[in-house]
Amino acid sequence: WYIARRQIIATWGDLNSGAAFENARRSLIRLEDERYHPKNWRPSILALSGRSGARVHLAVYAHWLAAGRGAVTLAQVIPGDVGDHLERRANQESALRSFIREQELSAFPAVLVAQDIPHGIEALVQCYGIGAFRPNVVLFGWSEDPERESDFASTLRTVAGLRRSMVIVRSAPNRSEDDDPWIPPPGPIDVWWRGKQNGHLMVLLAHLLTLNEPWRGRPIRLLRLIPSEAGIEAATEHLSRLIADARVRATPVVLVGDEITDVLHRTSEHSALTILGFQPPVDGAEAGFSRVMNNLMDGLGTVVMVWSAGEMHLEA
């Protein structure tokens, strides 16, 4: 009352923001000091979504995959010289913040100027974050542009070498720009199991999706292709144990066939989402990698491709 009566203007900072800063500082130091355990794995996603609004579906999937349990950063790389793009960088960061508020995302913006996009991505993956609080999953959009094959493959190899897991989203080809990105298509979530290297993360991401309201109640199918009917019982038991260990709701499905592409297309043609594992292509095999992945995804809806750095385990 006295301060208001005298019209005294204080220059103190807001108490809430100061307390939030101190809590964050203490938590980051504690996180840095504690030994990491796979049980404590949480998705911290660096989504290379480009400029605000350019690839809304990537921002939406990053939000869904974090499921309120992780952190999301929407990142953009501006190619060129830093001195020539200072104003543009500030404007794009402001636009990203506005986009995050408009879409009601829990996310951070990050805009970097680099000599080209691959070098910018490498710099973000290496340096973005504080201590142990740094991205552990890098999210890309899929491109069928043959001129980008070499750079994209090189970036995948570099990110894998930096031990960050990767998720590549290929949107459904028949989805129009007028479709609401927050409304997924009908159908199950299909996870194609081909081994635990990528499989553990694939199952976890499928489970995290179902924690979001638009995906709640969607069935998860854990699928495995085997060459002979004689192995159906053992393969089904193996998938059932994985599901039990992961403590997720999913249905084991064992299919018999020799060619994965044909079986994949018949089985997941009408699925809401298909999750596949991948390996970054070796140097010189870029065109083959793109061709194989495009053949696998042909005729499917939205596809998520996963490579795991191995930091988490379902049994943890």
Side-chain angles (χ1 to χ4, degrees):
W1 175 86
Y2 176 77
I3 291 173
R5 179 86 176 179
R6 295 289 303 274
Q7 296 182 340
I8 296 174
I9 299 174
T11 59
W12 305 321
D14 178 74
L15 181 61
N16 290 332
S17 63
F21 179 90
E22 179 60 20
N23 288 336
R25 185 187 70 83
R26 290 177 181 272
S27 297
L28 287 169
I29 292 174
R30 180 181 175 185
L31 186 64
E32 186 72 11
D33 290 340
E34 289 186 353
R35 180 175 296 179
Y36 170 77
H37 190 279
K39 185 179 292 186
N40 299 325
W41 189 91
R42 298 291 186 276
S44 182
I45 301 172
L46 178 66
L48 297 158
S49 58
R51 68 183 188 279
S52 62
R55 306 176 93 173
V56 180
H57 67 284
L58 291 184
V60 171
Y61 267 92
H63 175 84
W64 279 338
L65 293 173
R69 288 158 172 75
V72 174
T73 297
L74 302 184
Q76 176 187 356
V77 177
I78 300 174
D81 183 76
V82 176
D84 296 333
H85 294 288
L86 291 176
E87 184 176 355
R88 181 184 174 191
R89 180 194 173 280
N91 292 338
Q92 290 299 324
E93 184 171 308
S94 177
L96 266 180
R97 289 185 187 278
S98 298
F99 172 77
I100 289 169
R101 286 194 299 269
E102 291 166 3
Q103 297 292 326
E104 299 182 354
L105 301 169
S106 297
F108 305 99
V111 180
L112 179 75
V113 180
Q115 67 182 68
D116 54 40
I117 290 178
H119 282 91
I121 294 173
E122 292 170 12
L124 279 169
V125 174
Q126 289 185 82
C127 301
Y128 185 77
I130 301 176
F133 192 74
R134 60 180 184 176
N136 53 24
V137 176
V138 182
L139 188 148
F140 300 92
W142 178 255
S143 173
E144 297 184 14
D145 184 356
E147 294 184 359
R148 293 188 55 199
E149 283 179 353
S150 180
D151 285 344
F152 186 58
S154 176
T155 299
L156 294 180
R157 288 193 293 269
T158 299
V159 174
L162 292 169
R163 305 308 299 169
R164 303 294 198 278
S165 296
M166 292 179 284
V167 173
I168 306 174
V169 178
R170 199 291 306 263
S171 291
N174 58 354
R175 196 174 180 90
S176 72
E177 294 182 359
D178 296 329
D179 291 338
D180 189 342
W182 290 100
I183 301 178
I189 301 170
D190 285 352
V191 180
W192 285 85
W193 181 270
R194 299 185 69 183
K196 65 181 181 180
Q197 178 178 347
N198 296 325
H200 287 192
L201 181 57
M202 291 161 61
V203 173
L204 178 60
L205 294 179
H207 170 67
L208 289 173
L209 270 179
T210 62
L211 301 181
N212 297 274
E213 183 61 34
W215 291 92
R216 196 157 292 157
R218 295 296 183 91
I220 299 174
R221 300 193 299 181
L222 185 57
L223 303 109
R224 180 180 174 186
L225 180 66
I226 61 174
S228 170
E229 293 185 0
I232 291 179
E233 184 177 350
T236 303
E237 182 180 349
H238 174 241
L239 294 182
S240 298
R241 284 200 307 270
L242 285 170
I243 292 169
D245 290 340
R247 300 177 297 280
V248 302
R249 292 184 177 181
T251 302
V253 179
V254 177
L255 302 164
V256 178
D258 298 320
E259 177 54 51
I260 178 64
T261 305
D262 292 338
V263 177
L264 172 64
H265 292 171
R266 289 197 308 270
T267 307
S268 298
E269 179 182 4
H270 301 294
S271 298
L273 182 69
T274 303
I275 303 179
L276 306 172
F278 79 95
Q279 291 294 323
V282 298
D283 190 15
E286 293 84 0
F289 171 74
S290 297
R291 184 172 59 254
V292 168
M293 297 310 299
N294 282 326
N295 287 340
L296 284 175
M297 295 185 291
D298 185 37
L300 301 178
T302 299
V303 178
V304 166
M305 293 164 274
V306 176
W307 181 84
S308 175
E311 290 183 334
M312 58 78 55
H313 302 286
L314 292 177
E315 297 88 350

